[in-house]
Amino acid sequence: MSTHHLLMIEDDARLAQMVGEYLGQSGFSVEHAADAQRGLARLQGGAQAGLPDLVILDLMLPDMDGLEVCRRIRAMQGAAAQTPVLMLTAKGDPMDRIIGLELGADDYLPKPFEPRELLARIRAVLRRRTEGAAPQAQAMRFGSLEIDRDARTVAVAGQPCELTSYQFDLLVALAERAGRVLTRDQIMEAVRGRELEAFDRSIDVHMGRIRAAIEADPKNPKRILTVRGVGYVFARQQD
């Protein structure tokens, strides 16, 4: 049974209680922060209290927009910035989803939602991180780009690149298949997220974020190339 600890930043106390009770039956412990300030303070104090394994973040909070909360999490120092974020979006607005992913959310779920789907998505995000942390071969190098699967870090010319855990997994999936054109479905399947029927556009959003981190000119990429009408390919020859 899981022993993962989750932080839910949600102003609806009744919903938070329901989620906590449901996830508790599957072995998760859920800590509740009723507003953005308390949630951010909890993450900033993680060195003393221990960081949560995942944050469930509501988009509509009384004191701050959830998108801004996500941005601030990703701007934190240390391990807190890498905490996976699952965003709850009102009415499943596609634009909210896209912006959330651009700001670094690992996944999203529109309200209202089925508790079973929330549980499945949480497990998928945590599984990607756990499997990605498994022992791997030495770091992959493509010119000045270095991808260290053991440390889960990416650097270009020695300078670290900021990626979410999901974006790191996407980059690894492409790099391990360098020179091979992958469809969006194949990419999602490679990171074991296909069963969740991920929003197809989200792959494009994540690719844009990855390019912004590793490409000298994201608008004219040399590492991750788009194959129109098919998907993406990671170039073998770089720099």
Side-chain angles (χ1 to χ4, degrees), residues 135-155:
Q136 298 280 354
Q138 63 182 356
M140 294 184 288
R141 292 181 176 84
F142 302 88
S144 61
L145 173 65
E146 179 176 314
I147 305 170
D148 190 327
R149 288 170 291 194
D150 288 345
R152 293 183 66 79
T153 58
V154 178

Side-chain angles (χ1 to χ4, degrees), residues 17-193:
Q17 180 179 0
M18 179 199 74
V19 168
E21 291 176 353
Y22 181 83
L23 295 179
Q25 295 173 7
S26 296
F28 292 88
S29 64
V30 181
E31 179 181 356
H32 177 218
D35 55 42
Q37 293 297 340
R38 282 182 243 187
L40 290 170
R42 170 64 180 83
L43 288 168
Q44 290 167 338
Q48 290 74 36
L51 287 169
D53 296 297
L54 180 142
V55 173
I56 303 171
L57 175 62
D58 185 27
L59 189 67
M60 304 294 290
L61 294 168
D63 57 336
M64 190 183 301
D65 186 276
L67 295 173
E68 174 62 17
V69 177
C70 185
R71 187 193 68 77
R72 293 194 184 191
I73 292 173
R74 292 296 175 240
M76 287 181 176
Q77 298 296 315
Q82 303 302 316
T83 305
V85 174
L86 191 157
M87 184 172 287
L88 302 179
T89 62
K91 300 179 181 177
D93 187 337
M95 187 53 64
D96 286 340
R97 301 181 192 182
I98 292 170
I99 295 174
L101 291 167
E102 288 178 337
L103 291 174
D106 292 87
D107 202 356
Y108 56 83
L109 184 62
K111 289 184 176 180
F113 56 83
E114 288 291 333
R116 287 182 60 185
E117 183 176 6
L118 174 63
L119 175 61
R121 287 182 179 274
I122 290 171
R123 284 175 168 166
V125 171
L126 293 175
R127 184 173 65 247
R128 288 196 296 265
R129 170 155 294 201
T130 300
E131 292 176 349
Q136 298 280 354
Q138 63 182 356
M140 294 184 288
R141 292 181 176 84
F142 302 88
S144 61
L145 173 65
E146 179 176 314
I147 305 170
D148 190 327
R149 288 170 291 194
D150 288 345
R152 293 183 66 79
T153 58
V154 178
V156 175
Q159 296 300 310
C161 302
E162 294 296 328
L163 296 174
T164 68
S165 60
Y166 187 51
Q167 289 159 7
F168 178 86
D169 292 338
L170 287 173
L171 177 58
V172 168
L174 285 168
E176 289 178 336
R177 300 161 178 80
R180 174 183 168 190
V181 179
L182 300 176
T183 66
R184 289 170 178 79
D185 282 346
Q186 288 173 325
I187 293 170
M188 287 189 284
E189 188 173 339
V191 295
R192 294 174 171 82

